Amino acid sequence: MKSSFFIQPVFESVGALVLAAALQSSALHAASAGQPSQPEAPAKVQIRNTGGRYLLFVNDQPFYIKGAGIEWGSPEKLREHGGNSFRTWTAEGGRYGAQQVLDRAWSNGLYVAMGLDVDHERRGFDYNNTNSVAKQFELLKSQVLQYRNHPALLVWVVGNELNFEKNPKVWDAVNDLSRMIHEVDPNHPTTTTLAGFKRETVTVVKTRAPDLDFISFQMYYDIINLPKYLREAAWDKPYIVTEWGATGHWECGKTAWGAPIENNSTTKADLYEKRFRAVIEPDQRLCLGSYVFLWGNKQERTPTWYGMFLNSGEETEPVDVMHHIWTGNWPTNRSPRLEGVWLDGKGAVQNIRLHSGQTYTAKVAAVDPDHDSLTYRWEVMEESAETKIGGDAESKPAQVPNLIDAPQRSEISLHAPAKPGAYRLFAYVFDSQGHAAHANIPFYVESSGGTQADAAAANAGQSPTSRQD
């Protein structure tokens, strides 16, 4: 029985043969990771207030989350770099089912914060429809019953960023799900995740979903203000930062035509380090750990914005930073660092306009900490027209071929596309050791001779600003 709100009392798939072999040695992994020795035994997970400090305990051992959000990413790489947990956004309906996800986590000595996909109004769900709510409840209950005893399970994450919903009845549904979980699964806490931190939203969640063990927060650029928000709210409860990482595409500078300006991989890595050291690491009283975003790759405004790996599998510099944070040491071989990328002598924040049919020079400058030889790749894509929120799936912008002479060089000639409009030039740098750096520059193509309509289109939107901290 729960005492009060928050606190309980004191992939690419591996092949079947590889996974089976790994599971045979899971007891050895379990012993080294503090897991139960018998794979069929669920972990007992608790939150305890110890001397005014909240700690997560797994089988009576303190457990600080060194985690990442994984979307098709590699648990093996996470373990290799010092992580101990990962989170998902759904139990079923992703590329891999929960059983496979949990088994793979267990074989790597990792714990899983398992997402339960509470539906969203933007996907057509109606929280006034009691039949739909009841059907969702039964579906998610079946998932809880199926996976509650898996030894790799750490926490149930009931819904993701439901503060985007307009109907407050969503929190009644969350509370019913949390209460059900506590009835059928006494071993694992429940949480929900909020996009950002707003006192009024937190008050609504606490009022309508008091059965949750704690609330989790997801913040990007604004995470630097989380300590201030917590102080202003007189916050004294445990929490997890379930998403953080690169500056969000909604909170960065934009070009005059409205294209968000993405930081390069080196700037991102520096910001990962700064944000963790300034916000997450110092809060040893309330913060139970965090899940960095994203251990993998996805299209969200660009193919490189949030992923810590390229689509082709190479690690980028933010992975190096998390290895350093989690282990105290840098990896034996590190990713290239970028010194800059330029198109027509200008950087990404300079509202670069090109004329169709004309040729321009672009170059990228990079260094490798290990003095590995570097190779290069360039490509041009149309600017994404997606306006989705909450990480919903986006289509990848079309690549525009045959515009770059010798794209394997650090300095190239770019032939501006014939069709006027918004584009991005992407630069990639590889070290042949499985690591890469990346940057992109948004640019706008006007018809040669430049019409008034082209100028008006290019100047629509806001002037660029660049947030680097």
Side-chain angles (χ1 to χ4, degrees):
M1 181 176 181
K2 290 170 50 58
S3 57
S4 62
F5 181 74
F6 291 114
I7 304 304
Q8 294 182 347
V10 135
F11 298 83
E12 283 82 8
S13 170
V14 293
L17 292 176
V18 175
L19 182 57
L23 286 171
Q24 285 177 4
S25 63
S26 63
L28 180 60
H29 286 303
S32 64
Q35 295 175 332
S37 59
Q38 296 300 317
E40 65 273 10
K44 179 67 176 178
V45 183
Q46 297 172 302
I47 301 167
R48 300 177 187 172
N49 187 336
T50 305
R53 178 185 179 188
Y54 289 106
L55 295 173
L56 195 65
F57 281 78
V58 178
N59 299 322
D60 292 322
Q61 298 298 313
F63 187 88
Y64 182 79
I65 295 171
K66 301 177 181 180
I70 286 186
E71 185 170 71
W72 313 333
S74 168
E76 292 76 20
K77 285 284 187 181
L78 183 63
R79 181 190 64 185
E80 174 188 324
H81 287 289
N84 61 14
S85 178
F86 63 87
R87 69 159 295 201
T88 71
W89 289 263
T90 182
E92 304 293 356
R95 180 178 291 186
Y96 312 119
Q99 186 68 49
Q100 187 178 11
V101 168
L102 289 162
D103 287 349
R104 193 171 174 186
W106 178 251
S107 73
N108 283 285
L110 304 173
Y111 285 103
V112 178
M114 180 60 69
L116 295 173
D117 189 11
V118 178
D119 215 342
H120 295 269
E121 292 169 322
R122 66 177 182 269
R123 300 194 301 220
F125 198 88
D126 181 6
Y127 280 92
N128 289 320
N129 186 323
T130 56
N131 289 333
S132 295
V133 173
K135 184 178 179 180
Q136 174 177 256
F137 178 91
E138 292 302 325
L139 172 65
L140 297 180
K141 181 178 180 179
S142 70
Q143 295 172 7
V144 172
L145 290 172
Q146 186 171 357
Y147 304 116
R148 59 184 171 172
N149 290 325
H150 198 289
L153 181 63
L154 183 72
V155 174
W156 292 107
V157 184
V158 187
N160 186 66
E161 296 185 345
L162 296 172
N163 49 319
F164 284 129
E165 311 308 301
K166 296 178 181 178
N167 190 338
K169 289 182 180 179
V170 67
W171 302 117
D172 301 338
V174 167
N175 196 63
D176 288 343
L177 288 163
S178 179
R179 190 167 52 202
M180 173 272 295
I181 291 170
H182 286 122
E183 289 173 355
V184 302
D185 179 6
N187 294 313
H188 302 101
T190 62
T191 187
T192 195
T193 74
L194 301 181
F197 186 105
K198 291 186 177 180
R199 293 178 65 176
E200 56 271 27
T201 302
V202 170
T203 299
V204 170
V205 178
K206 289 171 67 175
T207 301
R208 302 191 76 135
D211 193 81
L212 291 168
D213 292 292
F214 61 97
I215 295 176
S216 298
F217 304 108
Q218 308 193 156
M219 306 174 77
Y220 291 84
Y221 171 81
D222 199 37
I223 195 173
I224 204 69
N225 293 314
L226 180 58
K228 177 172 72 77
Y229 298 153
L230 294 172
R231 287 194 305 271
E232 291 173 350
W235 187 266
D236 61 354
K237 305 298 182 183
Y239 67 92
I240 297 173
V241 180
T242 38
E243 285 184 23
W244 67 279
T247 297
H249 60 266
W250 64 91
E251 53 190 355
C252 65
K254 294 180 173 58
T255 65
W257 53 92
I261 300 170
E262 179 182 351
N263 288 322
N264 65 44
S265 55
T266 292
T267 300
K268 289 179 184 179
D270 293 344
L271 291 175
Y272 275 61
E273 177 93 24
K274 177 179 179 179
R275 289 165 182 170
F276 184 86
R277 301 298 186 194
V279 177
I280 297 171
E281 184 177 51
D283 191 352
Q284 297 294 310
R285 189 172 69 90
L286 303 176
C287 185
L288 305 176
S290 69
Y291 293 95
V292 70
F293 187 88
L294 173 73
W295 197 263
N297 177 271
K298 70 175 297 194
Q299 164 66 37
E300 192 165 356
R301 294 310 188 268
T302 76
T304 57
W305 201 296
Y306 297 101
M308 299 165 69
F309 295 75
L310 296 187
N311 187 53
S312 47
E314 290 83 3
E315 301 174 5
T316 67
E317 212 173 338
V319 175
D320 297 357
V321 166
M322 296 314 301
H323 184 108
H324 185 230
I325 286 171
W326 289 334
T327 71
N329 301 301
W330 290 102
T332 53
N333 189 275
R334 295 174 61 180
S335 302
R337 283 186 66 84
L338 292 177
E339 296 178 334
V341 60
W342 301 270
L343 172 58
D344 195 28
K346 304 179 183 69
V349 301
Q350 292 182 273
N351 281 329
I352 299 172
R353 298 184 178 88
L354 309 181
H355 293 284
S356 60
Q358 297 191 19
T359 300
Y360 301 85
T361 298
K363 64 179 181 178
V364 59
V367 295
D368 190 87
D370 310 292
H371 307 291
D372 296 323
S373 60
L374 299 177
T375 57
Y376 305 88
R377 178 166 63 85
W378 298 78
E379 64 185 13
V380 174
M381 286 186 170
E382 296 179 358
E383 181 64 38
S384 173
E386 297 277 12
T387 58
K388 294 176 181 176
I389 63 172
D392 288 352
E394 295 182 2
S395 58
K396 190 174 181 179
Q399 187 173 342
V400 187
N402 305 320
L403 297 178
I404 299 169
D405 294 334
Q408 73 279 8
R409 298 178 180 174
S410 61
E411 184 170 324
I412 61 163
S413 293
L414 170 68
H415 306 288
K419 179 183 174 183
Y423 298 86
R424 281 183 193 260
L425 174 66
F426 289 81
Y428 300 92
V429 183
F430 303 92
D431 70 352
S432 76
Q433 302 295 320
H435 309 111
H438 63 81
N440 67 71
I441 296 181
F443 65 95
Y444 196 94
V445 174
E446 301 173 356
S447 297
S448 294
T451 66
Q452 263 191 332
D454 292 331
N459 286 300
Q462 64 185 91
S463 297
T465 57
S466 180
R467 284 180 170 170
Q468 301 294 323
D469 52 17

